[in-house]
Amino acid sequence: MAEINSLPLKERMKIPRTPMPELDAEVRSHNFDEVNRGLVAADALTEATRCIACAKPGCVVDCPVGVKIKEVVALIYAGDYLAAAAKLREDNALPAVTGRVCPQENQCEGGCVLGKKGAPVAIGNLERFVADFERESGMLGLPSIAAATGKSVAIVGSGPAGLSAAGDLVQKGHRVRVFEALHELGGVLIYGIPEFRLPKAIVKTEVDNLRRMGVEFETNVVVGKSVTIDELMRNERYDAVFVATGAGLPRFLGIPGEHLNGVYSANEFLTRVNLMRAWQTPAYDEPVYDCRDRDVIVVGGGNTAMDAVRTARRLGARSATLVYRRSEAEMPARIEEVKHARQEGIEFRMLTNPIEFIGDQNGWLTGARCMKMELGEPDRSGRRSPVEIQGSEYLLPCNVAIIGVGTTANPLIQSTTPDLNTTSRNYIVADPATTRTSKRGVFAGGDIVTGGATVILAMGAGRKAAASIHDFLTAGEW
Ligand SMILES: Cc1cc2nc3c(=O)[nH]c(=O)nc-3n(C[C@H](O)[C@H](O)[C@H](O)COP(=O)(O)OP(=O)(O)OC[C@H]3O[C@@H](n4cnc5c(N)ncnc54)[C@H](O)[C@@H]3O)c2cc1C
Ligand code: SF4
Protein backbone atom coordinates (compact mmCIF):
# COMPACT_ATOMS: atom_id res chain seq x y z
CA MET A 1 0.00 0.00 0.00
CA ALA A 2 1.18 3.50 -0.78
CA GLU A 3 2.78 5.74 1.82
CA ILE A 4 0.16 7.40 4.03
CA ASN A 5 -0.11 11.15 3.59
CA SER A 6 1.84 12.46 6.61
CA LEU A 7 0.92 16.16 6.45
CA PRO A 8 -1.55 17.09 9.25
CA LEU A 9 -5.15 17.13 8.13
CA LYS A 10 -5.62 20.85 8.82
CA GLU A 11 -2.57 21.72 6.70
CA ARG A 12 -3.78 19.57 3.81
CA MET A 13 -7.16 21.24 3.85
CA LYS A 14 -5.52 24.66 3.51
CA ILE A 15 -3.90 23.80 0.18
CA PRO A 16 -5.86 25.41 -2.70
CA ARG A 17 -6.98 23.25 -5.64
CA THR A 18 -4.28 23.13 -8.31
CA PRO A 19 -5.57 24.80 -11.49
CA MET A 20 -5.38 22.97 -14.83
CA PRO A 21 -3.05 24.87 -17.20
CA GLU A 22 -4.97 25.98 -20.29
CA LEU A 23 -4.11 27.37 -23.72
CA ASP A 24 -4.76 31.10 -24.02
CA ALA A 25 -8.44 31.60 -24.97
CA GLU A 26 -7.79 33.97 -27.89
CA VAL A 27 -5.09 31.70 -29.36
CA ARG A 28 -7.09 28.50 -28.98
CA SER A 29 -10.29 29.89 -30.45
CA HIS A 30 -8.46 29.85 -33.81
CA ASN A 31 -7.01 26.35 -33.66
CA PHE A 32 -7.91 22.79 -32.65
CA ASP A 33 -5.08 22.22 -30.15
CA GLU A 34 -6.10 20.64 -26.87
CA VAL A 35 -7.31 23.32 -24.43
CA ASN A 36 -6.27 21.64 -21.17
CA ARG A 37 -2.52 21.02 -21.08
CA GLY A 38 -2.36 18.54 -18.18
CA LEU A 39 -0.73 18.71 -14.75
CA VAL A 40 3.03 18.32 -14.32
CA ALA A 41 4.28 15.87 -11.66
CA ALA A 42 4.85 18.57 -9.01
CA ASP A 43 1.26 19.81 -9.43
CA ALA A 44 -0.10 16.27 -9.29
CA LEU A 45 1.77 15.71 -6.01
CA THR A 46 0.34 18.93 -4.52
CA GLU A 47 -3.15 17.96 -5.58
CA ALA A 48 -2.78 14.41 -4.23
CA THR A 49 -1.58 15.91 -0.92
CA ARG A 50 -4.99 17.60 -0.51
CA CYS A 51 -6.80 14.25 -0.23
CA ILE A 52 -7.64 13.50 3.41
CA ALA A 53 -8.08 9.75 2.75
CA CYS A 54 -11.62 9.50 4.08
CA ALA A 55 -12.66 6.33 5.90
CA LYS A 56 -15.80 6.24 3.73
CA PRO A 57 -14.76 7.98 0.50
CA GLY A 58 -17.71 9.74 -1.14
CA CYS A 59 -15.68 10.03 -4.34
CA VAL A 60 -15.79 6.24 -4.84
CA VAL A 61 -19.50 6.01 -3.99
CA ASP A 62 -20.33 8.68 -6.59
CA CYS A 63 -18.14 7.23 -9.36
CA PRO A 64 -20.50 5.30 -11.68
CA VAL A 65 -17.97 2.44 -11.99
CA GLY A 66 -16.59 2.61 -8.45
CA VAL A 67 -12.97 3.49 -9.34
CA LYS A 68 -10.84 3.09 -6.16
CA ILE A 69 -10.01 6.79 -6.20
CA LYS A 70 -8.65 7.02 -2.66
CA GLU A 71 -6.08 4.29 -3.42
CA VAL A 72 -5.20 5.83 -6.79
CA VAL A 73 -4.59 9.22 -5.15
CA ALA A 74 -2.45 7.60 -2.42
CA LEU A 75 -0.30 5.93 -5.11
CA ILE A 76 0.15 9.30 -6.85
CA TYR A 77 1.18 10.82 -3.52
CA ALA A 78 3.74 8.01 -3.19
CA GLY A 79 5.04 8.83 -6.69
CA ASP A 80 4.16 5.38 -8.09
CA TYR A 81 2.30 6.60 -11.17
CA LEU A 82 2.34 3.31 -13.04
CA ALA A 83 0.81 1.51 -10.06
CA ALA A 84 -1.79 4.31 -9.87
CA ALA A 85 -2.61 3.78 -13.57
CA ALA A 86 -2.90 0.01 -13.05
CA LYS A 87 -5.25 0.59 -10.10
CA LEU A 88 -7.38 2.91 -12.25
CA ARG A 89 -7.58 0.36 -15.03
CA GLU A 90 -9.01 -2.25 -12.64
CA ASP A 91 -12.34 -0.41 -12.99
CA ASN A 92 -11.92 1.97 -15.92
CA ALA A 93 -10.63 0.77 -19.29
CA LEU A 94 -10.12 4.25 -20.80
CA PRO A 95 -8.77 6.55 -18.04
CA ALA A 96 -7.06 9.01 -20.42
CA VAL A 97 -10.47 9.52 -22.03
CA THR A 98 -12.61 9.77 -18.90
CA GLY A 99 -10.02 12.01 -17.18
CA ARG A 100 -10.75 14.45 -20.01
CA VAL A 101 -14.48 14.13 -20.63
CA CYS A 102 -16.28 12.83 -17.52
CA PRO A 103 -18.65 15.32 -15.85
CA GLN A 104 -16.66 14.96 -12.61
CA GLU A 105 -18.63 17.71 -10.88
CA ASN A 106 -21.68 15.41 -10.83
CA GLN A 107 -19.73 12.25 -10.11
CA CYS A 108 -16.50 11.61 -8.10
CA GLU A 109 -15.73 15.26 -7.40
CA GLY A 110 -19.39 15.87 -6.53
CA GLY A 111 -18.97 13.24 -3.79
CA CYS A 112 -15.60 14.48 -2.49
CA VAL A 113 -15.89 15.67 1.09
CA LEU A 114 -13.60 18.67 0.46
CA GLY A 115 -16.26 20.06 -1.90
CA LYS A 116 -18.60 20.64 1.06
CA LYS A 117 -16.61 23.65 2.27
CA GLY A 118 -14.24 24.42 -0.60
CA ALA A 119 -12.98 22.86 -3.81
CA PRO A 120 -13.00 19.06 -4.19
CA VAL A 121 -9.80 17.16 -5.01
CA ALA A 122 -9.23 17.53 -8.80
CA ILE A 123 -9.80 13.81 -9.35
CA GLY A 124 -10.35 14.07 -13.12
CA ASN A 125 -7.10 15.99 -13.59
CA LEU A 126 -5.20 13.41 -11.50
CA GLU A 127 -6.76 10.57 -13.48
CA ARG A 128 -5.66 12.19 -16.71
CA PHE A 129 -2.16 12.77 -15.28
CA VAL A 130 -1.51 9.10 -14.48
CA ALA A 131 -3.10 7.83 -17.70
CA ASP A 132 -0.96 10.22 -19.77
CA PHE A 133 2.14 9.30 -17.77
CA GLU A 134 1.51 5.62 -18.46
CA ARG A 135 0.97 6.22 -22.20
CA GLU A 136 3.92 8.57 -22.66
CA SER A 137 6.25 6.28 -20.70
CA GLY A 138 5.61 3.57 -23.31
CA MET A 139 4.76 1.24 -20.42
CA LEU A 140 1.12 0.73 -21.36
CA GLY A 141 1.04 -2.82 -20.10
CA LEU A 142 -0.76 -5.68 -21.78
CA PRO A 143 -2.88 -7.63 -19.32
CA SER A 144 -2.55 -11.42 -19.27
CA ILE A 145 -4.81 -13.22 -21.72
CA ALA A 146 -6.46 -16.51 -20.69
CA ALA A 147 -6.08 -19.65 -22.83
CA ALA A 148 -8.38 -19.72 -25.88
CA THR A 149 -11.89 -20.94 -25.02
CA GLY A 150 -12.92 -21.64 -28.61
CA LYS A 151 -15.92 -19.30 -28.20
CA SER A 152 -16.38 -16.20 -30.29
CA VAL A 153 -18.23 -12.93 -29.70
CA ALA A 154 -19.30 -10.29 -32.24
CA ILE A 155 -19.49 -6.74 -30.94
CA VAL A 156 -21.49 -4.23 -32.95
CA GLY A 157 -20.20 -0.67 -32.51
CA SER A 158 -16.77 0.56 -31.43
CA GLY A 159 -17.76 3.31 -28.97
CA PRO A 160 -16.79 3.17 -25.29
CA ALA A 161 -19.34 0.39 -24.57
CA GLY A 162 -18.08 -1.85 -27.39
CA LEU A 163 -14.39 -1.19 -26.69
CA SER A 164 -14.57 -1.92 -22.98
CA ALA A 165 -16.55 -5.12 -23.56
CA ALA A 166 -13.98 -6.18 -26.18
CA GLY A 167 -11.05 -5.65 -23.78
CA ASP A 168 -12.61 -7.71 -21.00
CA LEU A 169 -13.80 -10.56 -23.25
CA VAL A 170 -10.49 -11.02 -25.07
CA GLN A 171 -8.73 -11.26 -21.70
CA LYS A 172 -10.99 -14.17 -20.81
CA GLY A 173 -9.77 -16.10 -23.85
CA HIS A 174 -12.72 -15.54 -26.20
CA ARG A 175 -12.26 -14.58 -29.84
CA VAL A 176 -13.65 -11.05 -30.24
CA ARG A 177 -14.44 -9.22 -33.46
CA VAL A 178 -15.78 -5.63 -33.44
CA PHE A 179 -17.92 -4.51 -36.40
CA GLU A 180 -18.05 -0.76 -36.97
CA ALA A 181 -20.21 1.10 -39.51
CA LEU A 182 -17.80 4.02 -39.92
CA HIS A 183 -14.27 3.91 -41.31
CA GLU A 184 -12.67 4.83 -37.97
CA LEU A 185 -12.94 3.22 -34.55
CA GLY A 186 -14.02 4.91 -31.31
CA GLY A 187 -17.68 5.94 -31.76
CA VAL A 188 -18.50 9.38 -30.37
CA LEU A 189 -14.95 9.61 -28.99
CA ILE A 190 -13.76 9.93 -32.60
CA TYR A 191 -16.62 11.41 -34.59
CA GLY A 192 -18.31 13.56 -31.93
CA ILE A 193 -15.97 14.96 -29.29
CA PRO A 194 -13.60 17.44 -30.96
CA GLU A 195 -9.80 17.28 -31.02
CA PHE A 196 -9.51 20.32 -28.71
CA ARG A 197 -11.19 18.32 -25.91
CA LEU A 198 -10.03 14.79 -26.70
CA PRO A 199 -7.11 14.33 -29.10
CA LYS A 200 -7.79 11.50 -31.52
CA ALA A 201 -4.30 10.06 -30.89
CA ILE A 202 -5.40 9.08 -27.37
CA VAL A 203 -8.34 7.05 -28.64
CA LYS A 204 -6.14 5.47 -31.33
CA THR A 205 -3.59 4.36 -28.71
CA GLU A 206 -6.34 2.63 -26.73
CA VAL A 207 -7.68 0.92 -29.86
CA ASP A 208 -4.15 -0.18 -30.84
CA ASN A 209 -3.69 -1.63 -27.37
CA LEU A 210 -6.85 -3.69 -27.78
CA ARG A 211 -5.54 -4.86 -31.14
CA ARG A 212 -2.30 -5.95 -29.50
CA MET A 213 -4.39 -7.88 -26.99
CA GLY A 214 -5.95 -9.77 -29.90
CA VAL A 215 -9.23 -7.95 -30.54
CA GLU A 216 -10.13 -8.02 -34.27
CA PHE A 217 -11.74 -4.97 -35.87
CA GLU A 218 -13.71 -4.67 -39.08
CA THR A 219 -14.74 -1.16 -40.21
CA ASN A 220 -17.30 -0.11 -42.86
CA VAL A 221 -19.72 -2.86 -41.84
CA VAL A 222 -23.25 -1.65 -41.18
CA VAL A 223 -24.83 -4.49 -39.21
CA GLY A 224 -28.47 -4.71 -40.22
CA LYS A 225 -27.54 -3.88 -43.83
CA SER A 226 -24.25 -5.62 -44.79
CA VAL A 227 -24.98 -8.53 -42.43
CA THR A 228 -27.74 -9.20 -39.90
CA ILE A 229 -27.42 -10.36 -36.30
CA ASP A 230 -29.02 -13.69 -37.28
CA GLU A 231 -26.46 -14.15 -40.08
CA LEU A 232 -23.61 -13.40 -37.68
CA MET A 233 -24.89 -16.09 -35.30
CA ARG A 234 -26.07 -18.67 -37.86
CA ASN A 235 -23.64 -18.34 -40.80
CA GLU A 236 -20.57 -16.91 -39.12
CA ARG A 237 -21.12 -18.96 -35.96
CA TYR A 238 -20.67 -16.30 -33.31
CA ASP A 239 -21.72 -17.69 -29.92
CA ALA A 240 -22.85 -14.29 -28.62
CA VAL A 241 -23.40 -10.77 -29.90
CA PHE A 242 -23.10 -7.51 -27.95
CA VAL A 243 -25.02 -4.63 -29.54
CA ALA A 244 -23.41 -1.29 -28.61
CA THR A 245 -24.57 0.92 -31.45
CA GLY A 246 -25.13 4.13 -29.45
CA ALA A 247 -27.88 6.67 -30.08
CA GLY A 248 -26.56 8.54 -33.08
CA LEU A 249 -29.76 9.49 -34.91
CA PRO A 250 -30.11 13.28 -34.63
CA ARG A 251 -33.30 14.95 -33.42
CA PHE A 252 -34.56 18.06 -35.16
CA LEU A 253 -36.77 20.92 -33.97
CA GLY A 254 -39.58 20.17 -36.41
CA ILE A 255 -40.06 23.84 -37.29
CA PRO A 256 -40.58 25.46 -40.72
CA GLY A 257 -37.41 26.19 -42.71
CA GLU A 258 -35.31 23.40 -41.21
CA HIS A 259 -34.64 22.13 -44.77
CA LEU A 260 -32.84 25.36 -45.77
CA ASN A 261 -29.21 25.33 -46.93
CA GLY A 262 -27.03 26.19 -43.95
CA VAL A 263 -29.08 24.21 -41.38
CA TYR A 264 -27.19 21.19 -40.03
CA SER A 265 -27.61 18.59 -37.34
CA ALA A 266 -24.78 18.89 -34.81
CA ASN A 267 -23.93 15.23 -35.46
CA GLU A 268 -23.39 15.81 -39.17
CA PHE A 269 -21.46 19.02 -38.56
CA LEU A 270 -19.17 17.44 -35.96
CA THR A 271 -18.69 14.26 -38.02
CA ARG A 272 -17.62 16.27 -41.06
CA VAL A 273 -15.24 18.34 -38.99
CA ASN A 274 -13.81 15.66 -36.67
CA LEU A 275 -13.95 12.37 -38.51
CA MET A 276 -13.58 13.67 -42.06
CA ARG A 277 -11.12 16.35 -40.97
CA ALA A 278 -12.81 19.42 -42.41
CA TRP A 279 -10.75 21.31 -39.79
CA GLN A 280 -7.59 20.34 -41.69
CA THR A 281 -8.70 22.01 -44.94
CA PRO A 282 -7.11 22.25 -47.51
CA ALA A 283 -5.06 19.11 -46.68
CA TYR A 284 -8.41 17.28 -46.40
CA ASP A 285 -11.03 18.14 -48.99
CA GLU A 286 -14.18 17.56 -46.93
CA PRO A 287 -17.08 19.89 -47.67
CA VAL A 288 -18.47 21.70 -44.68
CA TYR A 289 -20.47 24.86 -44.94
CA ASP A 290 -18.00 27.71 -44.65
CA CYS A 291 -18.32 29.35 -41.23
CA ARG A 292 -15.70 32.00 -41.97
CA ASP A 293 -17.07 35.51 -41.36
CA ARG A 294 -20.58 34.10 -40.95
CA ASP A 295 -23.03 34.34 -38.07
CA VAL A 296 -23.51 30.86 -36.65
CA ILE A 297 -26.13 29.83 -34.12
CA VAL A 298 -26.21 26.49 -32.34
CA VAL A 299 -29.46 25.35 -30.75
CA GLY A 300 -29.19 23.26 -27.55
CA GLY A 301 -27.55 23.23 -24.13
CA GLY A 302 -25.73 19.90 -23.86
CA ASN A 303 -22.17 18.76 -24.60
CA THR A 304 -22.98 18.27 -28.28
CA ALA A 305 -24.26 21.83 -28.72
CA MET A 306 -21.28 23.19 -26.80
CA ASP A 307 -18.82 21.21 -28.95
CA ALA A 308 -20.53 22.42 -32.12
CA VAL A 309 -20.52 26.11 -31.17
CA ARG A 310 -16.86 26.03 -30.06
CA THR A 311 -15.99 24.23 -33.30
CA ALA A 312 -17.80 26.87 -35.38
CA ARG A 313 -15.81 29.56 -33.60
CA ARG A 314 -12.58 27.78 -34.45
CA LEU A 315 -13.68 27.54 -38.10
CA GLY A 316 -13.71 31.35 -38.21
CA ALA A 317 -17.34 32.29 -37.43
CA ARG A 318 -17.85 36.05 -37.08
CA SER A 319 -20.27 35.35 -34.26
CA ALA A 320 -20.94 31.98 -32.61
CA THR A 321 -24.07 32.01 -30.47
CA LEU A 322 -25.58 29.30 -28.31
CA VAL A 323 -29.36 29.47 -28.28
CA TYR A 324 -31.01 27.57 -25.41
CA ARG A 325 -34.64 27.56 -24.35
CA ARG A 326 -33.98 27.25 -20.60
CA SER A 327 -31.50 29.18 -18.42
CA GLU A 328 -27.82 28.41 -17.89
CA ALA A 329 -28.61 26.66 -14.58
CA GLU A 330 -30.53 23.94 -16.49
CA MET A 331 -27.88 23.37 -19.17
CA PRO A 332 -26.72 19.73 -19.17
CA ALA A 333 -23.25 20.56 -20.58
CA ARG A 334 -20.20 20.07 -18.36
CA ILE A 335 -19.40 23.16 -16.28
CA GLU A 336 -15.85 23.28 -17.65
CA GLU A 337 -17.10 23.40 -21.25
CA VAL A 338 -19.42 26.30 -20.40
CA LYS A 339 -16.52 28.18 -18.81
CA HIS A 340 -14.23 27.50 -21.76
CA ALA A 341 -16.90 28.52 -24.27
CA ARG A 342 -17.40 31.87 -22.53
CA GLN A 343 -13.64 32.49 -22.49
CA GLU A 344 -13.56 31.80 -26.24
CA GLY A 345 -16.12 34.49 -26.98
CA ILE A 346 -19.21 32.33 -27.46
CA GLU A 347 -22.37 34.37 -26.98
CA PHE A 348 -25.02 32.75 -24.76
CA ARG A 349 -28.59 33.58 -25.68
CA MET A 350 -30.55 31.82 -22.95
CA LEU A 351 -34.36 31.48 -22.60
CA THR A 352 -34.69 31.70 -26.38
CA ASN A 353 -36.34 29.22 -28.74
CA PRO A 354 -36.29 29.31 -32.57
CA ILE A 355 -39.76 28.83 -34.06
CA GLU A 356 -38.92 29.21 -37.77
CA PHE A 357 -35.86 29.45 -40.03
CA ILE A 358 -36.02 32.11 -42.75
CA GLY A 359 -34.19 31.88 -46.09
CA ASP A 360 -33.50 33.92 -49.22
CA GLN A 361 -34.91 33.24 -52.71
CA ASN A 362 -32.13 30.69 -53.36
CA GLY A 363 -32.94 28.63 -50.30
CA TRP A 364 -30.06 29.82 -48.11
CA LEU A 365 -30.60 30.53 -44.44
CA THR A 366 -30.70 34.20 -43.43
CA GLY A 367 -32.15 34.14 -39.93
CA ALA A 368 -34.16 32.46 -37.17
CA ARG A 369 -37.45 33.76 -35.81
CA CYS A 370 -37.16 33.26 -32.05
CA MET A 371 -39.44 33.48 -29.03
CA LYS A 372 -38.26 34.58 -25.62
CA MET A 373 -39.03 32.07 -22.87
CA GLU A 374 -39.51 32.08 -19.11
CA LEU A 375 -39.23 29.22 -16.65
CA GLY A 376 -42.40 27.53 -15.43
CA GLU A 377 -43.04 24.46 -13.28
CA PRO A 378 -40.53 21.59 -13.17
CA ASP A 379 -41.07 18.94 -15.89
CA ARG A 380 -40.42 15.19 -15.80
CA SER A 381 -36.65 15.79 -15.87
CA GLY A 382 -36.96 17.84 -12.66
CA ARG A 383 -35.81 21.00 -14.49
CA ARG A 384 -38.09 24.02 -14.72
CA SER A 385 -39.84 23.90 -18.07
CA PRO A 386 -39.54 26.71 -20.61
CA VAL A 387 -42.74 28.63 -21.39
CA GLU A 388 -43.12 31.06 -24.34
CA ILE A 389 -43.57 34.75 -23.53
CA GLN A 390 -46.42 35.85 -25.79
CA GLY A 391 -45.55 38.71 -28.14
CA SER A 392 -41.78 38.36 -27.55
CA GLU A 393 -40.96 37.16 -31.09
CA TYR A 394 -37.88 38.63 -32.82
CA LEU A 395 -35.54 37.84 -35.73
CA LEU A 396 -32.01 36.58 -35.05
CA PRO A 397 -29.92 36.96 -38.25
CA CYS A 398 -27.68 33.95 -39.02
CA ASN A 399 -26.13 32.16 -42.02
CA VAL A 400 -25.53 28.78 -40.35
CA ALA A 401 -27.77 27.04 -37.80
CA ILE A 402 -26.66 23.84 -36.11
CA ILE A 403 -29.25 21.76 -34.27
CA GLY A 404 -27.86 20.03 -31.17
CA VAL A 405 -31.01 19.13 -29.26
CA GLY A 406 -30.22 15.47 -28.70
CA THR A 407 -30.22 12.17 -30.49
CA THR A 408 -32.19 8.98 -30.51
CA ALA A 409 -31.73 5.33 -31.47
CA ASN A 410 -31.09 4.26 -35.05
CA PRO A 411 -33.70 1.52 -35.70
CA LEU A 412 -31.67 -0.47 -38.29
CA ILE A 413 -30.61 -3.45 -36.17
CA GLN A 414 -33.91 -3.60 -34.32
CA SER A 415 -35.89 -3.69 -37.58
CA THR A 416 -33.77 -6.51 -39.03
CA THR A 417 -33.77 -8.62 -35.85
CA PRO A 418 -37.44 -9.51 -35.39
CA ASP A 419 -37.17 -11.19 -31.97
CA LEU A 420 -35.36 -8.28 -30.29
CA ASN A 421 -37.66 -6.35 -27.93
CA THR A 422 -37.49 -2.57 -28.17
CA THR A 423 -39.13 0.38 -26.47
CA SER A 424 -41.61 2.64 -28.28
CA ARG A 425 -38.65 4.94 -29.07
CA ASN A 426 -36.58 2.13 -30.64
CA TYR A 427 -34.15 1.62 -27.78
CA ILE A 428 -33.25 -2.01 -27.16
CA VAL A 429 -34.72 -3.53 -24.01
CA ALA A 430 -31.98 -5.20 -21.95
CA ASP A 431 -31.89 -6.46 -18.37
CA PRO A 432 -29.98 -3.78 -16.39
CA ALA A 433 -28.22 -6.41 -14.28
CA THR A 434 -27.11 -8.76 -17.08
CA THR A 435 -27.52 -6.71 -20.30
CA ARG A 436 -29.37 -9.73 -21.78
CA THR A 437 -31.98 -8.90 -24.44
CA SER A 438 -35.09 -10.85 -25.41
CA LYS A 439 -33.03 -12.83 -27.96
CA ARG A 440 -30.89 -15.74 -26.80
CA GLY A 441 -27.17 -14.96 -27.03
CA VAL A 442 -27.71 -11.26 -27.77
CA PHE A 443 -26.71 -8.61 -25.23
CA ALA A 444 -26.99 -4.81 -25.47
CA GLY A 445 -25.60 -1.83 -23.56
CA GLY A 446 -24.56 1.82 -23.67
CA ASP A 447 -26.61 4.59 -25.28
CA ILE A 448 -28.62 2.13 -27.42
CA VAL A 449 -30.27 0.95 -24.18
CA THR A 450 -30.20 4.03 -21.93
CA GLY A 451 -30.48 6.81 -24.51
CA GLY A 452 -27.74 9.44 -24.77
CA ALA A 453 -25.77 9.29 -21.50
CA THR A 454 -22.05 9.48 -20.67
CA VAL A 455 -18.81 7.79 -21.66
CA ILE A 456 -18.27 6.26 -18.24
CA LEU A 457 -21.80 4.81 -18.09
CA ALA A 458 -21.34 3.28 -21.56
CA MET A 459 -18.04 1.77 -20.43
CA GLY A 460 -19.68 0.43 -17.27
CA ALA A 461 -22.36 -1.21 -19.44
CA GLY A 462 -19.66 -2.73 -21.67
CA ARG A 463 -17.89 -4.26 -18.69
CA LYS A 464 -21.15 -5.60 -17.27
CA ALA A 465 -21.97 -7.14 -20.65
CA ALA A 466 -18.54 -8.79 -20.85
CA ALA A 467 -19.01 -10.45 -17.44
CA SER A 468 -22.48 -11.57 -18.39
CA ILE A 469 -21.44 -12.89 -21.81
CA HIS A 470 -18.58 -14.81 -20.19
CA ASP A 471 -21.06 -16.43 -17.76
CA PHE A 472 -23.32 -17.38 -20.68
CA LEU A 473 -20.45 -18.80 -22.73
CA THR A 474 -19.05 -20.85 -19.86
CA ALA A 475 -22.34 -22.02 -18.28
CA GLY A 476 -24.22 -22.26 -21.59
CA GLU A 477 -27.47 -21.27 -19.87
CA TRP A 478 -29.78 -18.46 -20.88
C1 LIG B 1 -20.70 15.62 -29.44
C2 LIG B 1 -20.83 14.80 -28.20
C3 LIG B 1 -20.12 15.17 -27.07
C4 LIG B 1 -20.19 14.40 -25.92
N1 LIG B 1 -19.46 14.79 -24.83
C5 LIG B 1 -19.43 13.99 -23.73
C6 LIG B 1 -18.61 14.32 -22.60
O1 LIG B 1 -17.92 15.34 -22.57
N2 LIG B 1 -18.59 13.47 -21.53
C7 LIG B 1 -19.34 12.32 -21.53
O2 LIG B 1 -19.24 11.56 -20.56
N3 LIG B 1 -20.16 12.00 -22.56
C8 LIG B 1 -20.21 12.80 -23.65
N4 LIG B 1 -21.04 12.48 -24.71
C9 LIG B 1 -21.86 11.26 -24.62
C10 LIG B 1 -21.01 10.00 -24.85
O3 LIG B 1 -20.07 10.23 -25.86
C11 LIG B 1 -21.89 8.80 -25.18
O4 LIG B 1 -22.77 8.61 -24.09
C12 LIG B 1 -21.07 7.52 -25.39
O5 LIG B 1 -20.14 7.68 -26.44
C13 LIG B 1 -21.97 6.32 -25.71
O6 LIG B 1 -21.17 5.22 -25.98
P1 LIG B 1 -21.70 3.97 -26.83
O7 LIG B 1 -20.54 3.02 -26.90
O8 LIG B 1 -22.98 3.49 -26.26
O9 LIG B 1 -22.04 4.56 -28.28
P2 LIG B 1 -21.24 5.44 -29.35
O10 LIG B 1 -20.09 6.15 -28.77
O11 LIG B 1 -22.29 6.23 -30.02
O12 LIG B 1 -20.68 4.35 -30.35
C14 LIG B 1 -21.55 3.55 -31.14
C15 LIG B 1 -20.82 3.08 -32.37
O13 LIG B 1 -21.62 2.13 -33.03
C16 LIG B 1 -21.54 2.34 -34.43
N5 LIG B 1 -22.75 1.80 -35.06
C17 LIG B 1 -24.01 2.30 -35.00
N6 LIG B 1 -24.86 1.52 -35.71
C18 LIG B 1 -24.10 0.52 -36.23
C19 LIG B 1 -24.41 -0.59 -37.06
N7 LIG B 1 -25.65 -0.83 -37.48
N8 LIG B 1 -23.41 -1.42 -37.42
C20 LIG B 1 -22.13 -1.19 -37.01
N9 LIG B 1 -21.79 -0.15 -36.22
C21 LIG B 1 -22.77 0.69 -35.83
C22 LIG B 1 -21.44 3.85 -34.55
O14 LIG B 1 -20.89 4.24 -35.80
C23 LIG B 1 -20.52 4.18 -33.37
O15 LIG B 1 -19.17 4.15 -33.74
C24 LIG B 1 -21.02 13.24 -25.88
C25 LIG B 1 -21.75 12.88 -27.00
C26 LIG B 1 -21.67 13.64 -28.16
C27 LIG B 1 -22.47 13.23 -29.37
S1 SF4 C 1 -13.72 12.02 -0.94
FE1 SF4 C 1 -12.09 13.50 -1.60
S2 SF4 C 1 -10.79 13.66 0.23
FE2 SF4 C 1 -12.04 11.83 0.57
S3 SF4 C 1 -10.81 10.09 -0.26
FE3 SF4 C 1 -12.07 10.84 -1.98
S4 SF4 C 1 -10.77 12.34 -3.05
FE4 SF4 C 1 -9.86 12.04 -1.01
Side-chain angles (χ1 to χ4, degrees), residues 50-79:
R50 296 181 66 226
C51 173
I52 60 172
C54 305
K56 288 187 184 155
C59 54
V60 179
V61 176
D62 284 2
C63 170
V65 294
V67 168
K68 299 169 201 84
I69 294 162
K70 176 174 143 181
E71 294 172 46
V72 172
V73 176
L75 286 162
I76 297 173
Y77 182 77

Side-chain angles (χ1 to χ4, degrees), residues 310-323:
R310 296 175 69 200
T311 295
R313 177 98 179 112
R314 283 163 171 76
L315 292 176
R318 176 172 45 214
S319 67
T321 304
L322 192 83
V323 174

Side-chain angles (χ1 to χ4, degrees), residues 199-464:
K200 309 286 163 240
I202 288 169
V203 183
K204 288 202 164 76
T205 306
E206 297 292 353
V207 169
D208 285 346
N209 215 37
L210 288 172
R211 222 181 240 121
R212 289 200 294 144
M213 284 160 62
V215 176
E216 301 164 20
F217 291 98
E218 194 169 335
T219 51
N220 300 312
V221 181
V222 182
V223 175
K225 228 178 175 67
S226 327
V227 61
T228 64
I229 300 268
D230 283 325
E231 285 164 354
L232 283 174
M233 298 184 87
R234 206 178 39 233
N235 305 350
E236 302 195 26
R237 305 212 169 277
Y238 283 96
D239 300 289
V241 177
F242 177 46
V243 183
T245 46
L249 198 68
R251 284 211 190 105
F252 285 91
L253 296 168
I255 61 174
E258 231 170 354
H259 63 281
L260 287 165
N261 295 319
V263 182
Y264 280 103
S265 75
N267 265 43
E268 182 190 346
F269 178 73
L270 289 170
T271 303
R272 281 179 185 269
V273 177
N274 297 330
L275 184 67
M276 292 148 142
R277 301 197 168 89
W279 60 283
Q280 286 169 309
T281 308
Y284 287 82
D285 185 19
E286 172 57 27
V288 65
Y289 190 65
D290 196 350
C291 293
R292 273 174 305 173
D293 301 323
R294 311 281 170 137
D295 296 310
V296 180
I297 67 165
V298 176
V299 186
N303 288 319
T304 307
M306 205 60 71
D307 282 340
V309 77
R310 296 175 69 200
T311 295
R313 177 98 179 112
R314 283 163 171 76
L315 292 176
R318 176 172 45 214
S319 67
T321 304
L322 192 83
V323 174
Y324 182 52
R325 60 193 185 130
R326 303 181 201 242
S327 77
E328 192 172 324
E330 286 83 32
M331 272 175 40
R334 293 177 68 220
I335 289 175
E336 185 178 62
E337 309 317 322
V338 177
K339 181 189 91 175
H340 284 163
R342 280 198 187 288
Q343 291 170 344
E344 290 161 12
I346 305 301
E347 193 190 323
F348 282 52
R349 204 170 273 243
M350 302 288 100
L351 292 166
T352 301
N353 199 29
I355 52 169
E356 182 180 5
F357 290 115
I358 312 287
D360 63 17
Q361 65 279 19
N362 297 319
W364 288 94
L365 180 72
T366 55
R369 278 201 311 128
C370 296
M371 289 291 272
K372 290 189 182 163
M373 313 292 278
E374 60 188 354
L375 292 178
E377 294 300 311
D379 62 14
R380 270 190 304 171
S381 73
R383 296 175 301 168
R384 292 182 64 192
S385 54
V387 181
E388 286 186 352
I389 301 176
Q390 293 309 314
S392 65
E393 201 180 308
Y394 69 100
L395 184 72
L396 179 61
C398 56
N399 319 100
V400 180
I402 300 167
I403 316 297
V405 294
T407 52
T408 184
N410 188 317
L412 188 60
I413 289 190
Q414 299 83 314
S415 62
T416 52
T417 318
D419 36 1
L420 199 59
N421 282 356
T422 57
T423 68
S424 57
R425 295 168 67 197
N426 273 322
Y427 292 108
I428 297 177
V429 177
D431 182 326
T434 62
T435 75
R436 288 181 181 204
T437 67
S438 54
K439 186 174 172 67
R440 185 185 162 88
V442 178
F443 301 73
D447 281 5
I448 188 58
V449 171
T450 57
T454 61
V455 170
I456 192 82
L457 286 173
M459 279 170 43
R463 300 207 71 184
K464 199 181 277 181

